[in-house]
Amino acid sequence: MIQISEKKPALSTGKLITLEEFLDWYPKDSGTYELYNGVIVEMITIGSHEKVTSFLLLKLAFQIESFTLAYLLSQEVFIKAINSDETGFKPDLIIFDKNALNNEPMWEKRSTITQGKTVRLVIEVVSTNWEDDYQRKLECYEKLGIPEYWIVDYLGLGGRRFIGHPKQPTISIYQLIEDEYMVKQFRGNERIESNIFPDLNLTAQQIFDEGILS
């Protein structure tokens, strides 16, 4: 029996499944799911989350096209956790090097990336499961060696130890330096600073506004 949870479970007491089994099961036409330590978790999002994600997709796609970068951008790609056959994440946005896909063993049949060097940037737009974005996924992406990771917390949901006090909308950009993530945070009208997109002219508030405007 495959276990599904709408909330992050601590441990499953039923049959744990592998990433391969999860990808065989994955429904292509309904819902978004990830695999945490052998347990399927349904990712619940709200409309404003999708607006923020779509806004970022358009802005970054324009960068890729304008500067003729050898990148692909997707919302439908999985990342396999390092040293685990029972964990796989589906980022809100992922940008990867299309020239590196020949070296990805799970790409053709599974649309799954196993090597951090293939990825240029991962973006997670924070929902109610903010702990995963700031802890579990951050650790996974760091271990894989993904050079840049954005946490777009447009509602200021993250814990105070991550976004400060008082809590407020914050974009945390983690960049890999000597195999360890170092973070810069952006709020209000501060311009986003990205090593992957150095010419990006975008403020934190422009992104936050997409989640507020009706």
Side-chain angles (χ1 to χ4, degrees), residues 74-124:
S74 178
Q75 295 177 282
E76 301 298 329
V77 172
F78 285 93
I79 295 179
K80 179 182 179 295
I82 194 168
N83 299 327
S84 173
D85 293 323
E86 297 181 341
T87 297
F89 300 127
K90 188 177 186 181
D92 289 310
L93 287 173
I94 178 172
I95 293 171
F96 49 98
D97 182 352
K98 62 183 179 181
N99 295 323
L101 293 177
N102 290 336
N103 298 319
E104 284 289 350
M106 297 181 68
W107 174 253
E108 280 300 323
K109 294 183 178 180
R110 297 299 198 183
S111 296
T112 298
I113 288 174
T114 64
Q115 302 173 56
K117 62 184 179 182
T118 302
V119 183
R120 307 308 301 151
L121 169 64
V122 168
I123 298 176
E124 298 286 2

